[in-house]
Amino acid sequence: MSQSSESSAAAQAFFVARAEAVDMLLSLRALFLVITYGALTAVAGGVANWMYIKSQEQLAAAGGEAVRMADVQAEFIKGLSSEGWVTPELGDQLASGQLPVILLFVLKTTSWLLPGLILLVGFNRISGDISTRFTRYVLQRVHRGSYLAGKVVGHWLVSLGAVMVVQAVLLGVAYGYDVFDHELVAKALPRVWLGMALFTLVFVAYTQMCAALFARPFVTLLLGLMLLVACNVATWIAGRFWEPLGKIWVGDWDTRLWMLDPMAVGVFLLYAAIFVALAQVVLRKRDL
Protein backbone atom coordinates (compact mmCIF):
# COMPACT_ATOMS: atom_id res chain seq x y z
CA MET A 1 0.00 0.00 0.00
CA SER A 2 1.39 3.41 -0.96
CA GLN A 3 2.02 6.19 1.54
CA SER A 4 -0.71 8.34 -0.02
CA SER A 5 -3.33 5.59 0.31
CA GLU A 6 -2.30 4.98 3.92
CA SER A 7 -2.63 8.72 4.58
CA SER A 8 -6.02 8.74 2.89
CA ALA A 9 -7.23 5.79 4.99
CA ALA A 10 -6.04 7.50 8.18
CA ALA A 11 -7.76 10.74 7.17
CA GLN A 12 -11.00 8.87 6.50
CA ALA A 13 -10.80 7.14 9.88
CA PHE A 14 -10.17 10.50 11.58
CA PHE A 15 -13.19 12.03 9.84
CA VAL A 16 -15.45 9.16 10.96
CA ALA A 17 -14.04 9.20 14.51
CA ARG A 18 -14.59 12.94 14.85
CA ALA A 19 -18.18 12.72 13.62
CA GLU A 20 -18.79 9.71 15.86
CA ALA A 21 -17.41 11.42 18.96
CA VAL A 22 -19.45 14.58 18.38
CA ASP A 23 -22.68 12.62 17.81
CA MET A 24 -22.12 10.53 20.93
CA LEU A 25 -21.25 13.53 23.10
CA LEU A 26 -24.53 15.16 22.09
CA SER A 27 -26.59 12.03 22.76
CA LEU A 28 -28.64 11.42 25.89
CA ARG A 29 -27.03 8.00 26.30
CA ALA A 30 -23.61 9.60 26.85
CA LEU A 31 -25.15 11.73 29.59
CA PHE A 32 -26.74 8.60 31.02
CA LEU A 33 -23.31 6.92 31.13
CA VAL A 34 -21.80 9.83 33.06
CA ILE A 35 -24.69 10.09 35.53
CA THR A 36 -25.11 6.36 36.14
CA TYR A 37 -21.42 5.58 36.36
CA GLY A 38 -20.80 8.62 38.53
CA ALA A 39 -23.62 7.84 40.95
CA LEU A 40 -22.73 4.16 41.42
CA THR A 41 -18.99 4.72 41.76
CA ALA A 42 -19.71 7.47 44.29
CA VAL A 43 -21.75 4.94 46.27
CA ALA A 44 -18.90 2.40 46.03
CA GLY A 45 -16.40 4.98 47.27
CA GLY A 46 -18.74 5.96 50.10
CA VAL A 47 -19.12 2.33 51.15
CA ALA A 48 -15.34 1.89 51.13
CA ASN A 49 -14.89 4.98 53.29
CA TRP A 50 -17.64 3.90 55.70
CA MET A 51 -16.07 0.44 56.10
CA TYR A 52 -12.68 2.03 56.61
CA ILE A 53 -14.01 4.32 59.36
CA LYS A 54 -15.70 1.36 61.07
CA SER A 55 -12.39 -0.54 61.05
CA GLN A 56 -10.69 2.48 62.58
CA GLU A 57 -13.32 2.73 65.33
CA GLN A 58 -13.15 -0.99 66.12
CA LEU A 59 -9.36 -0.96 66.28
CA ALA A 60 -9.35 2.11 68.49
CA ALA A 61 -11.93 0.55 70.84
CA ALA A 62 -9.91 -2.64 71.11
CA GLY A 63 -6.55 -0.94 71.66
CA GLY A 64 -7.58 2.13 73.59
CA GLU A 65 -4.55 3.97 72.21
CA ALA A 66 -3.75 6.21 69.29
CA VAL A 67 -4.42 4.34 66.07
CA ARG A 68 -1.82 4.32 63.35
CA MET A 69 -2.99 4.51 59.72
CA ALA A 70 -1.01 1.36 58.88
CA ASP A 71 -2.83 -0.57 61.61
CA VAL A 72 -6.23 0.56 60.34
CA GLN A 73 -5.39 -0.39 56.77
CA ALA A 74 -4.02 -3.79 57.78
CA GLU A 75 -7.16 -4.54 59.78
CA PHE A 76 -9.39 -3.36 56.96
CA ILE A 77 -7.60 -5.52 54.36
CA LYS A 78 -7.78 -8.50 56.71
CA GLY A 79 -11.54 -8.03 56.93
CA LEU A 80 -11.87 -7.86 53.14
CA SER A 81 -9.82 -11.05 52.79
CA SER A 82 -11.88 -12.93 55.36
CA GLU A 83 -15.05 -12.02 53.46
CA GLY A 84 -13.58 -13.29 50.19
CA TRP A 85 -13.41 -9.84 48.59
CA VAL A 86 -9.69 -10.01 47.77
CA THR A 87 -7.14 -12.70 47.03
CA PRO A 88 -3.93 -12.96 49.07
CA GLU A 89 -1.97 -11.47 46.15
CA LEU A 90 -4.33 -8.52 45.90
CA GLY A 91 -4.18 -8.12 49.67
CA ASP A 92 -0.40 -7.71 49.40
CA GLN A 93 -0.85 -5.04 46.73
CA LEU A 94 -3.34 -3.19 48.90
CA ALA A 95 -1.10 -3.42 51.94
CA SER A 96 1.91 -2.11 50.00
CA GLY A 97 -0.09 0.85 48.72
CA GLN A 98 0.22 -0.11 45.04
CA LEU A 99 -3.58 -0.02 44.87
CA PRO A 100 -5.37 2.19 47.43
CA VAL A 101 -8.45 0.57 48.97
CA ILE A 102 -10.89 3.26 47.84
CA LEU A 103 -9.69 2.82 44.25
CA LEU A 104 -10.24 -0.93 44.53
CA PHE A 105 -13.93 -0.36 45.31
CA VAL A 106 -14.29 2.14 42.47
CA LEU A 107 -12.56 -0.19 40.00
CA LYS A 108 -14.56 -3.24 41.03
CA THR A 109 -17.73 -1.23 40.46
CA THR A 110 -16.30 -0.23 37.08
CA SER A 111 -15.68 -3.87 36.14
CA TRP A 112 -19.29 -4.84 36.87
CA LEU A 113 -20.98 -1.75 35.47
CA LEU A 114 -18.97 -0.26 32.62
CA PRO A 115 -19.19 -3.04 29.97
CA GLY A 116 -22.99 -2.78 29.90
CA LEU A 117 -22.88 1.03 29.85
CA ILE A 118 -20.40 1.05 26.96
CA LEU A 119 -22.69 -1.30 25.06
CA LEU A 120 -25.70 0.88 25.85
CA VAL A 121 -23.96 4.02 24.59
CA GLY A 122 -22.66 2.56 21.32
CA PHE A 123 -24.90 -0.35 20.32
CA ASN A 124 -26.58 1.56 17.49
CA ARG A 125 -23.56 3.30 15.98
CA ILE A 126 -22.88 0.67 13.30
CA SER A 127 -26.09 -1.34 13.49
CA GLY A 128 -28.16 1.84 13.07
CA ASP A 129 -26.19 2.76 9.95
CA ILE A 130 -26.69 -0.75 8.53
CA SER A 131 -30.41 -0.98 9.32
CA THR A 132 -31.14 2.45 7.78
CA ARG A 133 -28.84 1.80 4.78
CA PHE A 134 -26.83 4.91 5.73
CA THR A 135 -23.68 2.82 5.26
CA ARG A 136 -24.28 2.85 1.48
CA TYR A 137 -23.86 6.62 1.53
CA VAL A 138 -20.89 6.62 3.93
CA LEU A 139 -18.98 3.82 2.21
CA GLN A 140 -19.02 5.72 -1.07
CA ARG A 141 -16.61 8.14 0.64
CA VAL A 142 -14.60 5.97 3.06
CA HIS A 143 -13.21 2.46 3.03
CA ARG A 144 -14.82 -0.15 5.24
CA GLY A 145 -11.68 -0.52 7.34
CA SER A 146 -11.50 3.25 7.90
CA TYR A 147 -15.21 3.31 8.74
CA LEU A 148 -14.78 0.62 11.41
CA ALA A 149 -11.61 2.19 12.81
CA GLY A 150 -13.32 5.57 13.09
CA LYS A 151 -16.35 4.06 14.82
CA VAL A 152 -14.14 2.26 17.34
CA VAL A 153 -11.89 5.26 18.04
CA GLY A 154 -14.78 7.71 18.41
CA HIS A 155 -16.69 5.41 20.76
CA TRP A 156 -13.52 4.67 22.75
CA LEU A 157 -12.57 8.34 23.20
CA VAL A 158 -16.04 9.27 24.45
CA SER A 159 -16.30 6.29 26.81
CA LEU A 160 -12.80 6.68 28.24
CA GLY A 161 -13.18 10.44 28.55
CA ALA A 162 -16.45 10.07 30.45
CA VAL A 163 -14.90 7.56 32.86
CA MET A 164 -11.83 9.69 33.52
CA VAL A 165 -13.90 12.84 34.09
CA VAL A 166 -16.20 11.04 36.54
CA GLN A 167 -13.29 9.51 38.45
CA ALA A 168 -11.41 12.81 38.57
CA VAL A 169 -14.48 14.66 39.90
CA LEU A 170 -15.19 12.01 42.54
CA LEU A 171 -11.57 11.92 43.69
CA GLY A 172 -11.57 15.72 43.80
CA VAL A 173 -14.64 15.70 46.05
CA ALA A 174 -13.14 12.96 48.23
CA TYR A 175 -9.90 14.96 48.46
CA GLY A 176 -11.81 17.77 50.14
CA TYR A 177 -13.09 15.36 52.80
CA ASP A 178 -9.65 13.80 53.36
CA VAL A 179 -10.90 10.22 53.07
CA PHE A 180 -7.82 8.63 51.48
CA ASP A 181 -4.05 8.85 51.26
CA HIS A 182 -3.64 11.48 48.56
CA GLU A 183 -0.03 10.58 47.77
CA LEU A 184 -0.82 6.90 47.20
CA VAL A 185 -3.81 7.70 44.97
CA ALA A 186 -1.76 10.20 42.93
CA LYS A 187 0.88 7.54 42.32
CA ALA A 188 -1.64 4.84 41.41
CA LEU A 189 -3.94 6.93 39.20
CA PRO A 190 -1.81 7.12 36.00
CA ARG A 191 -1.38 3.34 36.08
CA VAL A 192 -5.08 2.85 36.72
CA TRP A 193 -6.06 5.13 33.83
CA LEU A 194 -3.74 3.30 31.45
CA GLY A 195 -5.46 0.09 32.47
CA MET A 196 -8.82 1.81 32.05
CA ALA A 197 -7.89 2.74 28.48
CA LEU A 198 -7.41 -0.95 27.67
CA PHE A 199 -10.53 -1.97 29.58
CA THR A 200 -12.77 0.44 27.68
CA LEU A 201 -11.11 -0.44 24.36
CA VAL A 202 -12.00 -4.13 24.74
CA PHE A 203 -15.68 -3.46 25.39
CA VAL A 204 -15.90 -0.78 22.71
CA ALA A 205 -14.51 -3.34 20.25
CA TYR A 206 -16.96 -5.92 21.60
CA THR A 207 -19.85 -3.49 21.07
CA GLN A 208 -18.89 -2.76 17.48
CA MET A 209 -18.43 -6.48 16.78
CA CYS A 210 -21.96 -7.16 18.06
CA ALA A 211 -23.30 -4.26 15.99
CA ALA A 212 -21.67 -5.63 12.83
CA LEU A 213 -22.88 -9.17 13.54
CA PHE A 214 -26.51 -8.47 14.44
CA ALA A 215 -27.10 -5.37 12.26
CA ARG A 216 -30.28 -4.25 14.05
CA PRO A 217 -29.93 -1.91 17.05
CA PHE A 218 -32.39 -3.59 19.43
CA VAL A 219 -31.03 -7.06 18.63
CA THR A 220 -27.48 -5.78 19.13
CA LEU A 221 -28.32 -4.41 22.57
CA LEU A 222 -30.29 -7.47 23.69
CA LEU A 223 -27.94 -10.17 22.44
CA GLY A 224 -24.87 -8.13 23.35
CA LEU A 225 -25.97 -7.91 26.97
CA MET A 226 -26.93 -11.59 27.00
CA LEU A 227 -23.52 -12.59 25.64
CA LEU A 228 -21.75 -10.46 28.25
CA VAL A 229 -23.65 -12.15 31.05
CA ALA A 230 -23.18 -15.59 29.49
CA CYS A 231 -19.40 -15.13 29.16
CA ASN A 232 -19.04 -14.08 32.80
CA VAL A 233 -21.30 -16.81 34.16
CA ALA A 234 -19.85 -19.56 31.96
CA THR A 235 -16.24 -18.78 32.89
CA TRP A 236 -17.15 -18.50 36.58
CA ILE A 237 -18.81 -21.93 36.50
CA ALA A 238 -15.99 -23.46 34.43
CA GLY A 239 -13.43 -22.06 36.87
CA ARG A 240 -15.08 -23.94 39.73
CA PHE A 241 -14.31 -27.22 37.95
CA TRP A 242 -10.88 -26.31 36.59
CA GLU A 243 -9.28 -23.02 37.65
CA PRO A 244 -7.50 -22.18 34.33
CA LEU A 245 -10.88 -22.16 32.55
CA GLY A 246 -11.99 -19.32 34.80
CA LYS A 247 -9.29 -17.11 33.27
CA ILE A 248 -10.39 -17.47 29.66
CA TRP A 249 -12.62 -14.37 29.72
CA VAL A 250 -11.29 -10.87 30.39
CA GLY A 251 -13.55 -10.51 33.42
CA ASP A 252 -11.10 -12.44 35.59
CA TRP A 253 -8.15 -10.22 34.64
CA ASP A 254 -9.56 -6.81 35.59
CA THR A 255 -7.78 -6.31 38.92
CA ARG A 256 -4.44 -7.38 37.47
CA LEU A 257 -5.03 -4.96 34.61
CA TRP A 258 -5.21 -1.99 37.00
CA MET A 259 -1.70 -2.97 38.13
CA LEU A 260 -0.59 -3.18 34.46
CA ASP A 261 0.38 -6.81 34.88
CA PRO A 262 1.96 -7.78 31.51
CA MET A 263 -0.14 -10.95 31.23
CA ALA A 264 -3.38 -9.03 31.85
CA VAL A 265 -2.37 -6.34 29.34
CA GLY A 266 -1.70 -9.07 26.78
CA VAL A 267 -5.09 -10.71 27.39
CA PHE A 268 -6.97 -7.44 26.96
CA LEU A 269 -5.04 -6.51 23.81
CA LEU A 270 -5.71 -9.96 22.38
CA TYR A 271 -9.45 -9.70 22.98
CA ALA A 272 -9.58 -6.19 21.52
CA ALA A 273 -7.78 -7.41 18.39
CA ILE A 274 -10.09 -10.43 18.06
CA PHE A 275 -13.25 -8.33 18.38
CA VAL A 276 -12.06 -5.74 15.85
CA ALA A 277 -10.93 -8.45 13.43
CA LEU A 278 -14.29 -10.23 13.64
CA ALA A 279 -16.14 -6.96 13.07
CA GLN A 280 -13.95 -6.24 10.06
CA VAL A 281 -14.55 -9.70 8.57
CA VAL A 282 -18.32 -9.34 8.98
CA LEU A 283 -18.40 -5.84 7.47
CA ARG A 284 -16.35 -6.97 4.48
CA LYS A 285 -18.68 -9.89 3.74
CA ARG A 286 -21.97 -8.13 4.54
CA ASP A 287 -23.92 -6.49 1.75
CA LEU A 288 -24.05 -2.89 2.95
Coordinates of all heavy atoms in Angstrom, one line a residue, residues 1-16 141-143 145-147 149-150:
M1 N 0.9 -1.2 0.0 CA 0.0 0.0 0.0 C 0.9 1.2 0.0 O 1.8 1.3 0.8 CB -0.9 0.0 1.2 CG -1.9 1.2 1.3 SD -2.9 1.1 2.8 CE -3.9 -0.3 2.4
S2 N 0.6 2.2 -0.8 CA 1.4 3.4 -1.0 C 1.2 4.3 0.2 O 0.2 4.2 1.0 CB 1.0 4.2 -2.2 OG -0.3 4.6 -2.2
Q3 N 2.1 5.3 0.4 CA 2.0 6.2 1.5 C 0.8 7.1 1.4 O 0.1 7.4 2.4 CB 3.3 7.0 1.6 CG 3.3 8.0 2.8 CD 4.6 8.7 3.0 OE1 5.6 8.5 2.2 NE2 4.8 9.5 3.9
S4 N 0.5 7.5 0.2 CA -0.7 8.3 0.0 C -2.0 7.6 0.3 O -2.9 8.2 0.9 CB -0.8 8.8 -1.5 OG -0.9 7.7 -2.4
S5 N -2.1 6.3 0.0 CA -3.3 5.6 0.3 C -3.4 5.4 1.8 O -4.5 5.4 2.4 CB -3.4 4.3 -0.4 OG -2.3 3.4 -0.1
E6 N -2.3 5.1 2.5 CA -2.3 5.0 3.9 C -2.7 6.3 4.6 O -3.5 6.3 5.5 CB -0.9 4.6 4.4 CG -0.5 3.2 4.1 CD 0.9 2.8 4.5 OE1 1.6 3.8 5.0 OE2 1.3 1.7 4.4
S7 N -2.2 7.4 4.1 CA -2.6 8.7 4.6 C -4.1 9.0 4.4 O -4.8 9.5 5.2 CB -1.8 9.8 3.9 OG -2.2 11.1 4.3
S8 N -4.6 8.6 3.2 CA -6.0 8.7 2.9 C -6.9 7.9 3.8 O -7.9 8.4 4.3 CB -6.3 8.3 1.4 OG -7.7 8.4 1.2
A9 N -6.5 6.7 4.1 CA -7.2 5.8 5.0 C -7.3 6.4 6.4 O -8.3 6.4 7.1 CB -6.6 4.4 5.0
A10 N -6.1 6.9 6.8 CA -6.0 7.5 8.2 C -6.9 8.7 8.3 O -7.6 9.0 9.3 CB -4.6 7.9 8.5
A11 N -6.9 9.5 7.2 CA -7.8 10.7 7.2 C -9.2 10.4 7.2 O -10.0 11.0 7.9 CB -7.4 11.6 5.9
Q12 N -9.6 9.3 6.5 CA -11.0 8.9 6.5 C -11.4 8.4 7.9 O -12.5 8.7 8.4 CB -11.2 7.8 5.5 CG -11.1 8.2 4.0 CD -11.0 7.0 3.1 OE1 -11.2 5.9 3.5 NE2 -10.8 7.3 1.8
A13 N -10.5 7.6 8.5 CA -10.8 7.1 9.9 C -11.0 8.3 10.9 O -11.8 8.3 11.7 CB -9.7 6.2 10.3
F14 N -10.1 9.3 10.7 CA -10.2 10.5 11.6 C -11.5 11.2 11.4 O -12.1 11.6 12.4 CB -9.0 11.4 11.3 CG -9.1 12.8 12.0 CD1 -8.8 12.9 13.3 CD2 -9.6 13.9 11.3 CE1 -8.9 14.1 14.0 CE2 -9.7 15.1 12.0 CZ -9.3 15.2 13.3
F15 N -11.9 11.4 10.1 CA -13.2 12.0 9.8 C -14.4 11.3 10.5 O -15.2 11.9 11.1 CB -13.4 12.1 8.3 CG -14.8 12.6 7.9 CD1 -15.1 13.9 7.9 CD2 -15.7 11.7 7.5 CE1 -16.3 14.4 7.6 CE2 -17.0 12.1 7.1 CZ -17.3 13.5 7.2
V16 N -14.4 10.0 10.4 CA -15.5 9.2 11.0 C -15.4 9.2 12.5 O -16.4 9.4 13.1 CB -15.4 7.7 10.5 CG1 -16.4 6.8 11.2 CG2 -15.6 7.6 9.0
R141 N -17.6 7.1 0.3 CA -16.6 8.1 0.6 C -15.5 7.6 1.5 O -14.4 8.2 1.5 CB -17.3 9.3 1.4 CG -18.2 10.1 0.4 CD -19.3 10.9 1.2 NE -20.1 11.7 0.3 CZ -21.1 11.2 -0.4 NH1 -21.4 9.9 -0.4 NH2 -21.7 12.0 -1.3
V142 N -15.7 6.5 2.2 CA -14.6 6.0 3.1 C -14.5 4.5 2.9 O -15.5 3.8 2.5 CB -14.8 6.3 4.6 CG1 -14.9 7.8 4.8 CG2 -16.1 5.6 5.1
H143 N -13.4 3.9 3.1 CA -13.2 2.5 3.0 C -13.8 1.8 4.3 O -14.0 2.4 5.3 CB -11.7 2.1 3.0 CG -11.0 2.6 1.7 ND1 -11.4 2.2 0.5 CD2 -10.0 3.5 1.6 CE1 -10.6 2.9 -0.4 NE2 -9.7 3.6 0.3
G145 N -12.6 -0.5 6.2 CA -11.7 -0.5 7.3 C -11.6 0.8 8.1 O -11.5 0.9 9.3
S146 N -11.6 1.9 7.3 CA -11.5 3.2 7.9 C -12.8 3.6 8.6 O -12.8 4.2 9.7 CB -11.3 4.3 6.8 OG -10.0 4.1 6.2
Y147 N -13.9 3.1 8.1 CA -15.2 3.3 8.7 C -15.2 2.6 10.1 O -15.6 3.2 11.1 CB -16.3 2.7 7.8 CG -17.7 2.7 8.5 CD1 -18.5 3.8 8.6 CD2 -18.2 1.4 8.9 CE1 -19.7 3.7 9.1 CE2 -19.4 1.3 9.5 CZ -20.2 2.5 9.6 OH -21.5 2.4 10.1
A149 N -12.6 1.6 11.9 CA -11.6 2.2 12.8 C -12.1 3.5 13.4 O -12.0 3.8 14.6 CB -10.3 2.4 12.0
G150 N -12.8 4.3 12.6 CA -13.3 5.6 13.1 C -14.4 5.4 14.1 O -14.5 6.1 15.1

